[in-house]
Amino acid sequence: MKKLYEGKAKIIYTTDHPEILLTQFKDDVTAFNSLKRGIIPGKGEINCQISSALFKWLESKDIATHFIDQPAHSQMRIRAVKIVPIEVVVRNIAAGSLCRQTGLIEGKILPFPLVEFYLKNDELGDPLLTSDRLLLLELASQKQVEQLQSIALKINQYLTEFFASCQITLVDFKLEFGLDPQENLLLADEISPDTCRLWDQQTKSLRDRVLDKDRFRHDLGKVEAAYQQVRQRVLEKLGIR
Ligand code: UDP
């Protein structure tokens, strides 16, 4: 096994099969373009378990993903893909950068799910892209942009319903996609409290309801407990434990 790439939250290793890679999920956490760093003990395992369970479930709904299996709690075997350098964000409720950039009040339910594309480039601070910029930078073809949009909306429908069944509101989330050797778009990366905003429907307290990385971003405390809570509800609902 050779280390192929080390990112902020995951390490990717090669395997003896050229089309299969191994992802090791880390406990390290970063926010604000890595200005804030920390460790959430157990996060690697938790995020890997949540992501694996959700990828598997989405596969059963005919969403193609890079997920193969989970050989250990914090490891995922994945299909090797060429990552499309776009972060696809879907929003159901106003929060985070949408509020900062538009003045919308946090918590406002959006009249329709918003799909946004950001350039995956830390040096440039992951800027928001327009559809023309996407084409200009040749990040994806018009057809792929339409495909990304429609897959993201479908995933949003499935996940919103699923999290609601866990008494959790899916506020917004980020997806990444990759192209397999046949140029098929596969859902990649992870779906976890690191990449989603998740609000607990079982509490009215604005502070306590946060079950995601915002607890770390804004020093709300009990970060690990929140992640564990999400894992428990997700795995239980999917009959995994
Ligand atoms: N997000 C992410 N990685 C990023 C940027 C955003 O996973 O590099 C997720 C974030 O956790 C949230 C959603 O995408 O669930 C929308 O994030 P937003 O644009 O509001 O950014 P932020 O407020 O985190 O700067």
Side-chain angles (χ1 to χ4, degrees):
M1 268 191 352
K2 210 179 86 203
K3 196 195 273 191
L4 192 65
Y5 168 82
E6 177 154 8
K8 289 174 274 189
K10 293 185 285 294
I11 306 173
I12 313 260
Y13 296 97
T14 58
T15 67
D16 43 24
H17 192 301
E19 283 177 20
I20 298 177
L21 301 175
L22 185 82
T23 307
Q24 172 76 44
F25 283 65
K26 305 197 291 184
D27 290 350
D28 303 59
V29 58
T30 63
F32 309 119
N33 207 4
S34 299
L35 286 178
K36 185 173 166 110
R37 288 167 185 274
I39 285 183
I40 304 173
K43 177 179 82 84
E45 279 195 21
I46 296 173
N47 281 1
C48 185
Q49 287 175 303
I50 295 172
S51 290
S52 298
L54 291 177
F55 280 148
K56 206 166 157 185
W57 181 74
L58 286 170
E59 285 273 357
S60 77
K61 303 262 178 202
D62 277 339
I63 302 286
T65 80
H66 70 165
F67 177 77
I68 299 174
D69 58 14
Q70 200 197 347
H73 282 333
S74 60
Q75 291 179 354
M76 193 192 283
R77 288 203 313 147
I78 57 170
R79 278 173 260 277
V81 291
K82 200 167 96 222
I83 289 289
V84 179
I86 298 174
E87 300 196 336
V88 182
V89 169
V90 184
R91 303 176 186 274
N92 298 303
I93 294 178
S97 70
L98 180 66
C99 297
R100 292 197 300 276
Q101 292 171 7
T102 65
L104 279 173
I105 303 297
E106 185 182 75
K108 183 188 159 49
I109 297 171
L110 304 180
F112 54 89
L114 196 60
V115 180
E116 299 176 328
F117 298 99
Y118 292 83
L119 181 63
K120 195 170 147 58
N121 184 321
D122 287 342
E123 275 170 39
L124 298 175
D126 296 348
L128 179 62
L129 295 167
T130 61
S131 27
D132 280 347
R133 283 187 185 185
L134 272 167
L135 299 180
L136 177 78
L137 297 176
E138 295 180 0
L139 297 172
S141 66
Q142 182 64 43
K143 188 171 158 231
Q144 283 171 336
V145 173
E146 282 162 22
Q147 254 181 309
L148 287 172
Q149 175 116 12
S150 88
I151 302 172
L153 284 171
K154 225 190 233 177
I155 294 172
N156 182 47
Q157 237 175 27
Y158 291 139
L159 289 183
T160 299
E161 209 175 293
F162 174 74
F163 277 114
S165 76
C166 302
Q167 302 268 292
I168 292 173
T169 300
L170 178 60
V171 175
D172 58 29
F173 59 100
K174 184 260 303 180
L175 299 173
E176 291 187 29
F177 293 85
L179 291 167
D180 71 7
Q182 291 73 41
E183 297 276 298
N184 297 309
L185 269 178
L186 304 187
L187 176 63
D189 195 47
E190 64 178 286
I191 303 176
S192 73
D194 268 8
T195 60
C196 302
R197 281 198 173 88
L198 302 166
W199 290 351
D200 188 357
Q201 296 174 356
Q202 293 175 351
T203 169
K204 284 207 166 57
S205 153
L206 298 187
R207 191 184 169 99
D208 293 345
R209 71 179 178 182
V210 177
L211 294 178
D212 56 67
K213 196 159 109 177
D214 274 349
R215 296 208 76 81
F216 170 75
R217 288 189 187 99
H218 306 303
D219 297 318
L220 301 180
K222 298 191 187 145
V223 189
E224 194 189 342
Y227 278 58
Q228 276 170 359
Q229 186 58 230
V230 175
R231 170 175 61 183
Q232 190 191 322
R233 290 194 212 174
V234 166
L235 297 192
E236 212 167 271
K237 189 51 73 176
L238 293 174
I240 294 172
R241 54 156 69 168

